[in-house]
Amino acid sequence: LAQGRGGGGGVVFPTEWNFLGPFPVGKNELDGDPVASVGGIEREYDRWMSKKKKGGKKSRLTSLTSEYKTGGLVSWQTLQISGSSFGGEVYVSPKNVDWNRLILSLNWSTESEEVQGWAVADFHVDEKGRFMVYCESAVQCFVDDTKRILTGDMFRSGKMKNSIDLEQGPHRIYIPLKFKAQTKFRCVVSRVKGASNPQNIQVFQPLFQPDLLAISKGIRHPESPISRYFLASSSFVSLPVLNLDGKWHQVEVRASSSSLEGKSIQMLAEPTSRFAARVAPGQLSAIPLRLRIISTAGGKKKSEKLNLEGINSSLCPLSFKLVVGLQDNSKTEWNSEVSISLRCRTTRQSFIFTFLDHDATVQRAAAIAPLLPGGAEACEGSGCERSLGVVLSQHGTGVDVSMQADSYKFKPKKHAKNDRFPYIFGVKHAWVLAPTRFGAHNWEYTGFRSALAALEALGDAIPVALRPLLPRVDTSRVVFAGHSMGGHGAWHIASHVPDRALAVASAAGWIKKEHYGDSNRFFVHDVGGSYVDPKLKYVLEATFAEHNADFFAGNLRGIPVLARVGSEDKAVPPWEVRRIVRVLRSHGVNVSFSELKGKEHWWWDTKHGNDGGVLNDRAMRNFFAESFGADGNRHRNVSGDESSFSTLVVVNPASSGSKMGVRVLQQHVPFQNSKVKFEFFRGEKGDTSNTRRVEVVSLTTRNVRRMRVDSRYLCTEINNNYQNQETPRNKLYQNQDPTPTSSSSCGFIVDGSDVFWLNPGKIAHLCQYERTRKKQADSQKQR
C-alpha cells in the first residue's frame, strides 16, 4: 500500500491485484464456488498473505485443485494494473492452462473455456466517510465482507455504482469473475461528496426515445411528409438516475426547449407517479417519464392529454433538455440536465415508439405502417375503419429494432440497380412490428412478455391526429417472424399463443439454447453438477423446458409455417432447421421448407439485388400475402384447419395462451407436461363428408386441473352452418340429452363427461377436483 496509487479523496489503491483460479463454471452468471470447500475466499486469501510474509518459493500454491491447471494444483497469480492512472484495467490470463488440449480432449467443447475465479486487492482509506464502489465486467463485488453483495457492472454501462460507508484504515475488495479463457476488469473506489450534496445525484442519458410521425407523400418520396409531425399519445422515456447519497430523494423533472419558444406549443416531461420518482440510497433507478406536446394558446386541455399538437418539419429533429432537480421540503434545486432529440419519421419509414412494459419499465419497438393498395399512404372513408394484422418480427443477437424493421424493404426488379429509386418499406396489408428486450435469451422469459406487450401497445403508437388516416391494428391476427435468435423467438411465441397466429415465418431459427452455439449446456461443467440431487436437477431443468421449441411443435398444427435457412450457415447450422421441420411435420403441421444454396446466416439478395433478402424477398412477401389475404382481412379457419384432431401442450400456464379458445389455467403437478387433445365429431356417426360441420368437440386432458373454454373459436362454424336448421344431434350420444340451448350452440365433452352446450361468445371455466376415498364409489370424476 505504501507504493499504491492515490484514488482521490483519501483512497490509496495498490498497483496490483491477486487472482485465484481458474475453476469450472456453469451456464448461469453465478455457480457454486470451489473455494468454499477450504473456508471461502476470505480465509484462503488470509492464509496466502500469512504464507507470503514468511516467504518461500511455494508460497503461492494452495491446496485447491482445478481440472483446468496442468498438474491440477491452483496457485495465486499477480495481476498488474494497466496505465498510470487510478482505476486502470486489469488483464486476466490464467497461467499453466493448455486451452487447445482441453478443447480437443473434450470433443471440441468450447464450453470448457467458460471459467470462474477470484480477484482480490487491498486499499486504504485515510478518513472515514461515504465512498462509491464501481467494478466493471463483474456481476457483483464485495468490500471487506463477502456476505454483503455490491452490484457489479457486467456489461460496462458505466451506471452500476454502489455507495457504502467505510472507516479509516485498510480495506479489502473481492471480485468473483466469470469469463471465457481471458478477460479484463476495472474497479474504482472514490469518496462521495458530503451528505445531501447535489453532486451525489448522477443523471445519465436515456438509451432511447420515441420518434415523431407524419403521413408520407408516397413510396417514391418516403421521407417527405404531407402532414405535420405528431407524438404518440403514449410516449415515454426512461431517465437513469443514480443516488450515491445516504438518504432517499424525490426527483423532479421538467422539459426545456429553446426551439419551441414563441411557437405556442410546449414540451412536457413528467414522472408517471411520485413513487416512480423516489430514489433510495445507493439505488440506480430508471424513472419513467411521460412526454407530451401541448398548446400554450387558448388552454386546449384535450390536446394536453392526447398530444394533438404537431410540429412543422422546420423544427425537426425536435431537441429539448430534461432538467433534473431534488425536492427538499417545498424547495426544488435544479442541478442536472440531459439533452434529448426526437427524430421525425414518416409512415413509409420505420419509426420507434415507446411504451410501459409488463413490469412498468419503459421499452421500445419499431414499426412500419401497412402498404396500401395503389400506393396510397392514407386510407379514405370506410377503409380507415378496418383493422389490419401484424407481422411481429423478432431480431437476432446484436440487432437493433430499427435495423430489424428496416429489413422489410425491397426494390422492384426493374429498379434493383437504380440508386435513385428508393426502397419500398413495409408489408402489404399488414403492420410491421419489431420489439426488443435486453437479455441473453431475449425472447424467452421477460422477452416473451415484452413482445406481447409491444403488440398490445402498437395501437397507441399511432398519434391520435393520424388515426383517421391509417388502418387500425388487429392484434389477434399475427404472423410471427424472425431471424436467428428471433427465428427461435418466432417458434417460441407462436407455439405459446397459437390463437393469435395466422402463420409463422422462421429464418435460421434454432430450437433450444442448450443445444445452440457454445453456450454452456445445462449441468455439463457446472460445479453443482457433482452434488445436486437428481430430483432438484429435474426441477431446475423443468424451469426452462418451456422454451424448447420442438416440445411444443404440435401446438402449431393448423397454422401455416415457412422455415428457411442458408445451406452455408455457420451460425445456425441447417441441421437445426431441418430437425424442427421434421418434428413439425410429424405433428401434421403444414410446413414450407427451403434451404437456399450458397446462402450464409444472413443475406440481402436472394435472386437479384435488393429483392428483400432473407426476411422480405418474393417468397416471404408471397407468404405474407397468402397469410393475410388479398384484402388483408383473412382470418384463420380454426375448426376446419385442425382436421379431425389436434393437441395443446403446456408446461407453464403463466406463459401459455389458448388454442382454439382452450387455455390451461392450473396444473395438478406444476411444470410437468399438460396436454389437451381435441377431437371433432361432424355430422352423423362416421359421416365425414361435411368437414366444416362441427357438432361436438371432445376434450381429453392430462395434468390439467383448471382450464378456460372460450366458445367463440369453436362455435363459429356451428353458428354459420346451423342457422335455420334442425337442432343438431349425434348418434354417438343417443343415450344422453345432447339438446343445445339454441340452434347456434356447440357441444363439449371433457374427459368422457356428459355433453354440455355453449352458445357462441360464452366462456366456461372447468375445474377438476381431487377425488377422495369417500366419493370414489359415487363418481369417477367431479367437475
Side-chain angles (χ1 to χ4, degrees), residues 522 536-547 651-652 670-672:
F522 182 59
L536 176 58
K537 182 179 179 182
Y538 157 73
V539 172
L540 297 174
E541 189 168 10
T543 61
F544 57 81
E546 63 177 298
H547 308 301
V651 170
N652 180 8
F671 280 96
Q672 281 193 6

Side-chain angles (χ1 to χ4, degrees), residues 136-410:
E136 284 184 347
S137 303
V139 175
Q140 57 190 23
C141 58
F142 310 89
V143 174
D144 295 332
D145 181 4
T146 54
K147 295 182 177 61
R148 178 183 180 182
I149 299 175
L150 300 178
T151 302
D153 193 357
M154 184 68 184
F155 301 105
R156 295 175 168 249
S157 69
K159 304 171 186 174
M160 308 302 292
K161 301 178 181 179
N162 306 269
S163 60
I164 61 173
D165 294 319
L166 295 176
E167 295 293 328
Q168 179 184 2
H171 296 274
R172 186 168 292 166
I173 187 164
Y174 306 88
I175 303 179
L177 297 172
K178 179 187 176 183
F179 55 96
K180 191 169 183 177
Q182 57 185 10
T183 188
K184 59 183 179 180
F185 68 93
R186 186 171 71 94
C187 193
V188 176
V189 179
S190 61
R191 185 178 295 275
V192 174
K193 303 295 182 180
S196 301
N197 192 312
Q199 295 183 23
N200 294 340
I201 305 299
Q202 297 184 14
V203 182
F204 301 93
Q205 193 76 25
L207 292 177
F208 50 83
Q209 47 273 331
D211 292 331
L212 295 150
L213 185 64
I215 300 293
S216 172
K217 191 175 181 179
I219 59 174
R220 297 299 299 269
H221 306 281
E223 298 180 6
S224 301
I226 59 172
S227 72
R228 303 181 80 188
Y229 289 95
F230 294 89
L231 193 62
S233 58
S234 297
S235 293
F236 303 89
V237 293
S238 181
L239 184 66
V241 177
L242 174 64
N243 180 10
L244 293 175
D245 209 348
K247 69 174 187 178
W248 285 79
H249 282 292
Q250 183 71 42
V251 177
E252 298 287 338
V253 182
R254 68 184 184 192
S256 173
S257 175
S258 58
S259 61
L260 295 181
E261 292 180 0
K263 303 293 184 182
S264 298
I265 54 177
Q266 181 183 353
M267 171 66 72
L268 295 182
E270 301 166 322
T272 55
S273 69
R274 284 187 59 82
F275 177 79
R278 282 181 59 80
V279 188
Q283 180 187 15
L284 172 67
S285 179
I287 299 177
L289 304 175
R290 184 186 298 272
L291 298 181
R292 292 186 294 160
I293 299 178
I294 67 170
S295 172
T296 56
K300 300 179 181 179
K301 294 184 179 180
K302 187 176 181 180
S303 66
E304 293 182 8
K305 295 181 179 180
L306 301 179
N307 275 330
L308 288 175
E309 292 298 326
I311 66 169
N312 296 321
S313 56
S314 60
L315 294 176
C316 293
L318 180 58
S319 298
F320 60 96
K321 293 181 179 180
L322 294 178
V323 185
V324 180
L326 303 180
Q327 188 181 66
D328 188 6
N329 295 324
S330 60
K331 180 183 177 182
T332 300
E333 183 177 352
W334 306 94
N335 62 286
S336 301
E337 63 180 38
V338 294
S339 298
I340 304 290
S341 180
L342 305 184
R343 300 187 307 172
C344 293
R345 309 287 283 178
T346 74
T347 49
R348 279 285 53 81
Q349 299 174 297
S350 65
F351 64 94
I352 292 176
F353 68 93
T354 54
F355 60 96
L356 289 182
D357 207 347
H358 63 91
D359 54 1
T361 62
V362 176
Q363 300 298 332
R364 75 190 188 281
I368 305 177
L371 288 170
L372 300 178
E377 286 304 312
C379 55
E380 298 179 357
S382 60
C384 293
E385 297 177 2
R386 66 175 181 149
S387 298
L388 296 180
V390 181
V391 175
L392 193 155
S393 183
Q394 295 160 280
H395 63 74
T397 303
V399 179
D400 182 75
V401 291
S402 293
M403 296 168 59
Q404 184 69 12
D406 288 342
S407 299
Y408 291 85
K409 65 180 180 181
F410 76 100

Side-chain angles (χ1 to χ4, degrees), residues 485-702:
M485 179 178 68
H488 167 75
W491 297 132
H492 176 64
I493 193 169
S495 63
H496 281 67
V497 289
D499 273 345
R500 290 194 181 218
L502 278 180
V504 184
S506 175
W510 39 265
I511 300 173
K512 60 185 74 173
K513 185 73 172 177
E514 284 64 40
H515 290 179
Y516 166 67
D518 61 356
S519 299
N520 277 1
R521 286 171 288 179
F522 182 59
F523 274 129
V524 174
H525 299 294
D526 299 59
V527 173
S530 303
Y531 310 96
V532 68
D533 184 281
K535 290 184 178 180
L536 176 58
K537 182 179 179 182
Y538 157 73
V539 172
L540 297 174
E541 189 168 10
T543 61
F544 57 81
E546 63 177 298
H547 308 301
N548 299 341
D550 53 350
F551 191 73
F552 301 92
N555 291 352
L556 298 180
R557 183 184 176 99
I559 300 172
V561 172
L562 184 152
R564 58 183 359 202
V565 67
S567 64
E568 304 302 316
D569 194 333
K570 303 299 191 298
V572 178
W575 184 93
E576 287 274 337
V577 183
R578 296 175 197 149
R579 181 180 180 89
I580 190 66
V581 168
R582 174 182 62 79
V583 175
L584 286 165
R585 286 176 173 168
S586 72
H587 285 283
V589 179
N590 178 20
V591 184
S592 174
F593 171 59
S594 59
E595 187 172 321
L596 285 84
K597 185 177 180 180
K599 301 300 182 184
E600 298 185 353
H601 190 54
W602 177 270
W603 65 91
W604 282 112
D605 310 318
T606 302
K607 292 186 175 180
H608 66 80
N610 296 320
D611 67 353
V614 60
L615 289 180
N616 200 44
D617 62 10
R618 181 168 292 279
M620 294 291 282
R621 297 197 301 272
N622 288 342
F623 184 75
F624 295 147
E626 184 177 350
S627 301
F628 291 109
D631 57 358
N633 291 324
R634 174 171 293 171
H635 290 71
R636 188 160 68 90
N637 182 359
V638 177
S639 58
D641 285 348
E642 307 302 332
S643 186
S644 60
F645 74 94
S646 189
T647 57
L648 170 64
V649 175
V650 172
V651 170
N652 180 8
S655 62
S656 299
S658 64
K659 179 172 184 179
M660 292 184 285
V662 176
R663 182 177 183 183
V664 175
L665 300 177
Q666 186 180 11
Q667 300 168 301
H668 286 293
V669 181
F671 280 96
Q672 281 193 6
N673 179 23
S674 296
K675 182 176 287 188
V676 179
K677 182 179 180 181
F678 304 77
E679 291 185 273
F680 306 93
F681 299 96
R682 300 177 172 89
E684 297 297 318
K685 182 179 180 180
D687 177 15
T688 59
S689 59
N690 187 350
T691 60
R692 293 179 64 82
R693 282 186 59 183
V694 180
E695 292 188 6
V696 176
V697 181
S698 174
L699 304 177
T700 305
T701 70
R702 184 177 72 190

Side-chain angles (χ1 to χ4, degrees), residues 62 82 100 105 107 115 136 170 176 181 226 266 325 337 339 413 423 460 470-471 475 517 531 533 561 620 681 696 717:
T62 69
S82 65
N100 291 332
S105 64
N107 297 319
V115 295
E136 284 184 347
I226 59 172
Q266 181 183 353
E337 63 180 38
S339 298
K413 187 174 182 180
Y423 285 101
D460 288 335
L470 294 170
T475 61
Y531 310 96
D533 184 281
V561 172
M620 294 291 282
F681 299 96
V696 176
E717 298 302 323

